[in-house]
Amino acid sequence: MTRMNVEEQEKAKTKMKLNGSLMLIEALKAEGVEVIFGYPGGAVLPLYDELYKAGVFHVLTRHEQGAIHAAEGYARISGKPGVVIATSGPGATNLVTGLTDAMMDSLPLVIFTGQVATSVIGSDAFQEADVVGITMPITKHNYQVRDISELPRIIKEAFHIATTGRPGPVLIDIPKDITIAEGEFDYDQDVHLPGYQPTTQPNHWQIRRLVEAVSQSKRPVILAGAGVLHANAADELRQYAEQQRIPVVHTLLGLGGFPADHPLFLGMAGMHGTYTANMALYECDLLINIGARFDDRVTGNLNDFAPKATVAHIDIDPAEIGKNVPTKIPIVSDAKAALQELIAQQGKPADNAAWLAQLDEWKRRFPLYYEPEAGTIKPQKLIEMIYEMTNGEAIVTTDVGQHQMWAAQYYKFNRPHRWVTSGGLGTMGFGLPAAIGAQLADRSATVVSIVGDGGFQMTFQELSVIQELQLPIKIVIVNNQALGMVRQWQELFYDKRYSHSLIPNQPDFVKLAEAYGMLGLRAKTEAEAADVLKQAFAINGPVLLDFHVRADENVYPMVAPGKGLHQMVGVKACEESSQ
């Protein structure tokens, strides 16, 4: 068969007559989708019937929230769009938290929700909800399909929108009658969206302005966010920082975009950032933001944020530039493209030897610090032990709260795409299902899901998926019998009135693990922790570990709400340079 004949057959295949369900399946194949996360229901039964026949790899999570968080974890690690299917009404509304989470953290998802038949839309039919109206503010774009002829175009546009420019979730609401209606499947068409043309290449003049600003600076610093990771620009960031001798601080979501063991790395910035990172932002005279949105947890009080600095901001989303922090040098661009251009310019580095010496001194004198204590497990020490046990190579997922901050502080990420957490929305229950998606994105990786005892109980039904697929995820419960960060704020700002933040009555998590058919282990001392960690990582299968940590331990350093980054509490000077 000639090459021409093969091409003609492929084109013919993309224009055959199919029902809506088969159209969707063929489109997913054309997009290279490897896994679907979902939960069936009445409005999507025709689609699930075709899935059954097609043999597509589908993960049945035990709740729609689990499905969308798993898709987020998959997208974060693979860089590919996570795909979710849910039924109409409650199935769709159960996705709302995950949609908002993905929107705030710029994760590419394509969501398919079932809908009641077009003939009864608006009649309050059984399991009807205005999914388009509900999700419009929390998606990058959404659609409701009203004509079978539009379905192929809409799916192709959805994948394009989700994965280009600033990534984000796109939802397609499909009425049940559309899934069984027949039409021509033409997927061999170009996406043409005149109103959506993201700028990916930097303006040359603005790049030159930044090059000149660096050459004239004495105290430059780079604030690197998740945009570096989305652009796969970690190598370029390192090259540029080394070429120009500019120190780097990370946002929470940017961790791994620059090696944590690099001499130019200052740590994470923000509410629980390192002393050196926060003081660098406060004292710098040039701040280069690459792919971060100046979130309030990073900036603290805006009146005190980078008060001496000229601000340059590189971001693919023009809406973020100047939104929170006045910007002198705006560069709308993909982070990789902008960094490549900056490297190619080979600009004169800053005269910043004194600045680098000051930063090194701060790193020596004010490291992250906690008080060791015998007879218990300090959560900071637990994270260090996990880091050592995994050689810093694991994919780490977390829920939200104290354990999340300790993981960000004490697990040193030297490689990109190893850190999966909920940043902007701060979603409890995220960590466990996100670990499922992360493990499916990288089957050979060691995946550790570090969760709190509170957040874990929001989505622990997904243990069933882990057991069913025999995913070798290690689930680490940092158990302080409290909603730890809520308790910390109540201690510090509400005169220790612990209103509904303490959880003394916990289930037996080891027995819970056994009920789900996996090994459960418990530790209450540092020595026991070392033993169970060694045992867990020697097993090629899922293990749940319940660590009873010091219950009243707080996360420090801390910038209190309303304070500037230079007004940290919980900072302790250390005279020993070895620390």
Side-chain angles (χ1 to χ4, degrees), residues 69-140:
H69 290 332
E72 288 185 273
Y74 176 85
R76 176 78 74 183
I77 295 303
S78 71
K80 303 173 184 177
V83 176
V84 177
I85 300 175
T87 194
S88 64
T93 58
N94 279 342
L95 299 175
V96 165
T97 296
L99 282 168
T100 313
D101 191 272
M103 185 68 175
M104 293 191 74
D105 288 354
S106 305
L107 293 174
L109 303 182
V110 178
I111 312 295
F112 298 94
T113 54
Q115 183 55 273
V116 299
T118 53
S119 59
V120 294
I121 288 176
S123 70
D124 293 330
F126 177 67
Q127 289 194 332
E128 180 186 2
D130 180 8
V131 176
V132 170
I134 290 168
T135 63
M136 189 173 292
I138 55 172
T139 53
K140 189 175 177 183

Side-chain angles (χ1 to χ4, degrees), residues 233-534:
D235 287 343
E236 287 80 3
L237 175 60
R238 180 185 52 77
Q239 291 172 35
Y240 177 64
E242 290 175 348
Q243 181 195 74
Q244 298 295 307
R245 300 196 304 273
I246 303 177
V248 177
V249 303
H250 265 315
T251 65
L252 173 69
L253 291 179
L255 291 171
F258 192 80
D261 61 0
H262 197 287
L264 288 172
F265 185 60
L266 307 182
M268 182 178 72
M271 179 171 280
H272 295 292
T274 66
Y275 178 89
T276 307
N278 283 345
M279 289 305 295
L281 292 177
Y282 184 73
E283 294 289 350
C284 67
D285 65 3
L286 175 63
L287 171 55
I288 306 170
N289 178 336
I290 307 176
R293 58 187 179 84
F294 285 129
D295 176 76
D296 61 290
R297 288 293 176 101
V298 169
T299 64
N301 189 322
L302 284 170
N303 293 326
D304 290 320
F305 180 72
K308 308 166 188 178
T310 296
V311 175
H313 191 170
I314 300 169
D315 205 293
I316 201 163
D317 185 355
E320 291 297 345
I321 298 178
K323 184 177 81 174
N324 295 327
V325 175
T327 301
K328 189 74 174 288
I329 306 174
I331 302 175
V332 179
S333 173
D334 173 83
K336 181 188 281 282
L339 284 164
Q340 287 173 339
E341 181 64 22
L342 286 167
I343 293 166
Q345 290 287 319
Q346 296 185 335
K348 177 185 174 184
D351 179 15
N352 63 346
W355 174 236
L356 294 177
Q358 174 66 79
L359 295 172
D360 284 342
E361 175 65 14
W362 283 338
K363 281 198 281 188
R364 285 192 298 270
R365 291 200 60 212
F366 302 104
L368 291 171
Y369 178 84
Y370 63 92
E371 291 281 356
E373 184 178 343
T376 187
I377 304 173
K378 280 298 184 85
Q380 302 94 326
K381 179 63 176 178
L382 174 62
I383 303 300
E384 289 179 331
M385 294 167 73
I386 295 169
Y387 172 77
E388 292 166 4
M389 189 71 65
T390 60
N391 297 314
E393 293 294 320
I395 292 173
V396 178
T397 77
T398 76
D399 269 351
V400 171
Q402 287 182 317
H403 69 277
Q404 176 193 33
M405 294 298 106
W406 285 317
Q409 290 175 335
Y410 289 93
Y411 198 101
K412 300 177 181 65
F413 295 95
N414 291 318
R415 293 172 53 198
H417 311 301
R418 303 280 96 182
W419 172 238
V420 183
T421 196
S422 171
L425 193 62
T427 304
M428 292 178 67
F430 174 87
L432 184 68
I436 294 172
Q439 187 73 81
L440 291 174
D442 188 346
R443 293 278 193 162
S444 64
T446 298
V447 176
V448 182
S449 185
I450 301 174
V451 296
D453 48 295
F456 172 70
Q457 293 184 74
M458 290 187 173
T459 53
F460 73 74
Q461 68 273 3
E462 305 307 333
L463 288 173
S464 184
V465 179
I466 294 173
Q467 189 277 333
E468 177 185 340
L469 299 178
Q470 276 301 293
L471 302 176
I473 298 167
K474 308 304 183 263
I475 303 127
V476 173
I477 302 176
V478 182
N479 188 350
N480 55 13
Q481 299 185 60
L483 305 177
M485 193 61 83
V486 176
R487 184 207 59 75
Q488 177 170 334
W489 279 50
Q490 288 174 338
E491 175 187 334
L492 299 177
F493 309 124
Y494 295 90
D495 295 328
K496 299 184 179 181
R497 293 187 293 276
Y498 300 121
S499 178
H500 302 286
S501 62
L502 305 181
I503 316 175
N505 297 315
Q506 298 279 23
D508 186 325
F509 291 121
V510 170
K511 288 183 178 178
L512 181 68
E514 293 169 353
Y516 278 98
M518 65 180 66
L519 178 64
L521 300 170
R522 180 181 293 112
K524 296 184 178 181
T525 67
E526 189 176 311
E528 291 175 350
D531 288 341
V532 299
L533 282 171
K534 185 176 181 181

Side-chain angles (χ1 to χ4, degrees), residues 32-101:
V33 173
E34 300 167 327
V35 58
I36 301 168
F37 303 92
Y39 205 99
V44 290
L45 282 181
L47 173 56
Y48 270 83
D49 191 49
E50 296 295 351
L51 281 174
Y52 180 85
K53 300 173 189 175
V56 177
F57 181 42
H58 175 284
V59 175
L60 173 66
T61 57
R62 298 327 191 239
H63 191 285
E64 291 88 354
Q65 184 178 357
I68 195 163
H69 290 332
E72 288 185 273
Y74 176 85
R76 176 78 74 183
I77 295 303
S78 71
K80 303 173 184 177
V83 176
V84 177
I85 300 175
T87 194
S88 64
T93 58
N94 279 342
L95 299 175
V96 165
T97 296
L99 282 168
T100 313
D101 191 272

Side-chain angles (χ1 to χ4, degrees), residues 58-247:
H58 175 284
V59 175
L60 173 66
T61 57
R62 298 327 191 239
H63 191 285
E64 291 88 354
Q65 184 178 357
I68 195 163
H69 290 332
E72 288 185 273
Y74 176 85
R76 176 78 74 183
I77 295 303
S78 71
K80 303 173 184 177
V83 176
V84 177
I85 300 175
T87 194
S88 64
T93 58
N94 279 342
L95 299 175
V96 165
T97 296
L99 282 168
T100 313
D101 191 272
M103 185 68 175
M104 293 191 74
D105 288 354
S106 305
L107 293 174
L109 303 182
V110 178
I111 312 295
F112 298 94
T113 54
Q115 183 55 273
V116 299
T118 53
S119 59
V120 294
I121 288 176
S123 70
D124 293 330
F126 177 67
Q127 289 194 332
E128 180 186 2
D130 180 8
V131 176
V132 170
I134 290 168
T135 63
M136 189 173 292
I138 55 172
T139 53
K140 189 175 177 183
H141 194 60
N142 64 14
Y143 300 85
Q144 186 175 81
V145 185
R146 288 301 190 106
D147 189 320
I148 186 63
S149 66
E150 296 181 340
L151 183 58
R153 172 186 60 80
I154 286 173
I155 296 173
K156 195 158 193 176
E157 288 180 3
F159 276 90
H160 175 73
I161 293 169
T163 57
T164 55
R166 179 178 180 175
V170 178
L171 182 141
I172 304 174
D173 195 42
I174 308 179
K176 188 172 183 178
D177 55 313
I178 298 294
T179 65
I180 59 177
E182 288 196 343
E184 185 179 88
F185 178 64
D186 181 4
Y187 210 69
D188 189 31
Q189 51 186 300
D190 295 330
V191 173
H192 181 61
L193 299 170
Y196 175 71
Q197 299 292 326
T199 299
T200 60
Q201 298 300 312
N203 179 280
H204 179 73
W205 170 242
Q206 298 292 16
I207 289 288
R208 286 303 308 168
R209 290 183 64 196
L210 180 51
V211 170
E212 289 300 317
V214 170
S215 70
Q216 297 169 19
S217 171
K218 301 289 186 183
R219 301 186 307 280
V221 68
I222 293 170
L223 173 65
V228 172
L229 299 169
H230 294 314
N232 290 312
D235 287 343
E236 287 80 3
L237 175 60
R238 180 185 52 77
Q239 291 172 35
Y240 177 64
E242 290 175 348
Q243 181 195 74
Q244 298 295 307
R245 300 196 304 273
I246 303 177

